[in-house]
Amino acid sequence: MKDKIRKIPVPVVQRLTKYLVHVRWLCEADMTWASSERIAHALGLTSSTVRQDLSYLDISGISKRGYETMKLEAVLRCALGANKINRVVIVGAGNLGRALALHAEFARRGFVVFAIFDSNSRLIGRRIGKVAVRAMHELGRIVRKEKVDIGIIAVPASSAQAAADALIANNVRGLLNLTAAYVRVPPRVTVVDARIVASLQELAYLMKVNKSGPKAGLKA
Amino acid sequence: MKDKIRKIPVPVVQRLTKYLVHVRWLCEADMTWASSERIAHALGLTSSTVRQDLSYLDISGISKRGYETMKLEAVLRCALGANKINRVVIVGAGNLGRALALHAEFARRGFVVFAIFDSNSRLIGRRIGKVAVRAMHELGRIVRKEKVDIGIIAVPASSAQAAADALIANNVRGLLNLTAAYVRVPPRVTVVDARIVASLQELAYLMKVNKSGPKAGLKA
DNA sequence: TAGATTGTTAATCGATTAACAATC
DNA sequence: TAGATTGTTAATCGATTAACAATC
């Protein structure tokens, strides 16, 4: 049982999100124990990687049994901050922005969408699930009032930096960038890119390479 | 001028997609030359990384000037296979699937959506942009007829594996997985995950760490 | 020419894998 | 007990950064 909370490397954090999904499923299926080998197999990893990763968490496994799934789920949620409610706004009410606003998975994982903004006046007022599209000039007021931490950027790439700047000016501390653009931010702000077209391009490249050269592309 | 085409590491491929976006913009702005230092600065990288990355491509820069943007765009497109048209289908006509089917950026980047499938009979026949939602039992016929290479999985996580299996059985060689589920595939098939909720969780974690400890989270 | 910038090699840094003693 | 499985250390592997001679 380790107690120092070491800073977890990014690749490990990315895998922890996968463990959480899988372990949640194991719990639902009433599996009370899971060995590193079984988890690894289920997610295309090695047991060594799994044990190394879980060693960042405040949990101990037991020889011959493995890890207790309920406890593992709890410590994963805790480490990832998945217990906390994260207050989110979406900028851009195009197809993607609207889809995300309606995405039930978000709320289920603790990401609550408080508002969606767009600069197109024809969209203003339109209801998207529980929220209505608002004008950009309302962004500051609402973000501050609702104490929003996270902004999702779903505007055209050419407006991405402007959207980021508006969010940052109103104390948003994290951005999820869905555009192809690179977004500059000050050090206190964290950005994660989730660029679907870039992922498709990566896929196309890997497929090209995989054509003759065997060995699958298990990644991300 | 190197001519051997080395296999490009995944982190490099991911950056190449960013260079392509940026260089396209430089071309449009009539910048004919760009140094590694300028590119690096624009994308939050070091010039060393940029030069190292570009050394995988069939291009030479010139001292004191840098790289010719038009030529760089061309070799990037070529290396990533971005000249080729990629034939795509989407499985799942929920909010996310529909948004992607309408996403103009796809077509512009050479990813043409040939069909969208759903198991919900109430959605069948509904038009989404240029395509209509089809029943799952039509998937095999259409994927084969249109020689589709790539399947985008936008179904609920619990159906992800079934969707993948259906696609793979019909010779699709690449999958973009938008669900939280882990998808098993044979070695000839390549998978890239683009899980938005996982990205949000990663963001939430990095924000937590970034709270006190300074030094920005520039990543992905 | 002098100075800027490339291309590449070597050094550093970090992540993954292997191995194995401890333990249930 | 014997065998399975953990936790951790050490070895390997790969990616990033630094440095610098070559060159325009």
Side-chain angles (χ1 to χ4, degrees), chain A residues 89-106 113 115-120 122-134 152-155 178, chain B residues 94-104 126-129 196:
Chain A
V89 293
I90 297 171
V91 185
N95 296 312
L96 198 53
R98 292 202 305 271
L100 297 179
L102 294 168
H103 198 36
E105 195 73 3
F106 276 16
V113 176
I116 178 166
F117 299 96
D118 203 290
S119 58
N120 180 347
R122 290 171 51 189
L123 293 175
I124 312 294
R126 186 159 155 185
R127 280 210 95 70
I128 314 280
K130 289 186 182 155
V131 299
V133 179
R134 308 254 192 178
I152 299 180
I153 301 179
V155 296
L178 296 163
Chain B
N95 297 313
L96 197 52
R98 292 203 305 272
L100 297 179
L102 294 168
H103 198 38
R126 184 157 157 188
R127 282 210 93 68
I128 313 283
I196 294 177

Side-chain angles (χ1 to χ4, degrees), chain A residues 149-152 171-176 188-191, chain B residues 203 207:
Chain A
D149 324 288
I150 293 178
I152 299 180
N171 294 331
V172 166
R173 288 189 47 257
L175 300 176
L176 187 74
R188 73 190 156 79
V189 177
T190 306
V191 184
Chain B
L203 176 61
M207 284 165 68

Side-chain angles (χ1 to χ4, degrees), chain A:
Chain A
M1 192 185 293
K2 60 242 72 69
D3 32 272
K4 280 283 85 97
I5 288 150
R6 289 166 286 170
K7 206 178 125 202
I8 308 176
V10 168
V12 176
V13 173
Q14 289 174 344
R15 284 193 298 269
L16 293 184
T17 66
K18 298 188 183 185
Y19 299 152
L20 180 52
V21 170
H22 183 61
V23 166
R24 197 141 28 197
W25 185 83
L26 291 174
C27 285
E28 278 168 22
D30 287 323
M31 318 279 269
T32 42
W33 296 91
S35 69
S36 57
E37 180 58 42
R38 286 185 112 290
I39 295 172
H41 182 75
L43 299 176
L45 305 168
T46 69
S47 66
S48 197
T49 301
V50 172
R51 287 199 302 281
Q52 188 77 271
D53 289 350
L54 298 188
S55 77
Y56 285 97
L57 305 175
D58 183 19
I59 192 174
S60 306
I62 293 180
S63 295
K64 295 198 67 167
R65 281 195 268 188
Y67 303 86
E68 215 184 319
T69 53
M70 301 264 283
K71 199 170 162 196
L72 185 51
E73 193 202 322
V75 294
L76 280 167
R77 291 172 74 98
C78 179
L80 290 168
N83 289 314
K84 190 174 158 287
I85 295 287
N86 293 279
R87 306 168 77 89
V88 174
V89 293
I90 297 171
V91 185
N95 296 312
L96 198 53
R98 292 202 305 271
L100 297 179
L102 294 168
H103 198 36
E105 195 73 3
F106 276 16
R108 222 175 302 140
R109 297 295 170 251
F111 295 90
V112 178
V113 176
F114 279 84
I116 178 166
F117 299 96
D118 203 290
S119 58
N120 180 347
S121 57
R122 290 171 51 189
L123 293 175
I124 312 294
R126 186 159 155 185
R127 280 210 95 70
I128 314 280
K130 289 186 182 155
V131 299
V133 179
R134 308 254 192 178
M136 288 299 288
H137 68 76
E138 293 196 84
L139 189 147
R141 185 176 61 76
I142 292 169
V143 163
R144 285 173 181 277
K145 194 181 95 191
E146 302 290 359
K147 297 201 192 325
V148 167
D149 324 288
I150 293 178
I152 299 180
I153 301 179
V155 296
S158 55
S159 316
Q161 185 66 55
D165 293 344
L167 290 161
I168 294 167
N170 291 289
N171 294 331
V172 166
R173 288 189 47 257
L175 300 176
L176 187 74
N177 175 31
L178 296 163
T179 79
Y182 169 73
V183 172
R184 299 188 114 70
V185 301
R188 73 190 156 79
V189 177
T190 306
V191 184
V192 168
D193 287 329
R195 306 182 306 150
I196 294 178
V197 176
S199 297
L200 271 176
Q201 281 180 337
E202 183 190 336
L203 175 62
Y205 174 81
L206 292 172
M207 286 166 65
K208 201 172 63 168
V209 173
N210 194 13
K211 198 160 283 175
S212 40
K215 194 189 200 178
L218 342 144
K219 86 114 267 174

Side-chain angles (χ1 to χ4, degrees), chain B residues 91-130:
Chain B
V91 185
N95 297 313
L96 197 52
R98 292 203 305 272
L100 297 179
L102 294 168
H103 198 38
E105 196 72 4
F106 276 16
R108 221 176 302 140
R109 297 293 171 253
F111 296 91
V112 177
V113 176
F114 279 82
I116 178 165
F117 300 96
D118 204 290
S119 59
N120 180 347
S121 58
R122 290 171 52 190
L123 292 174
I124 312 292
R126 184 157 157 188
R127 282 210 93 68
I128 313 283
K130 289 186 183 154

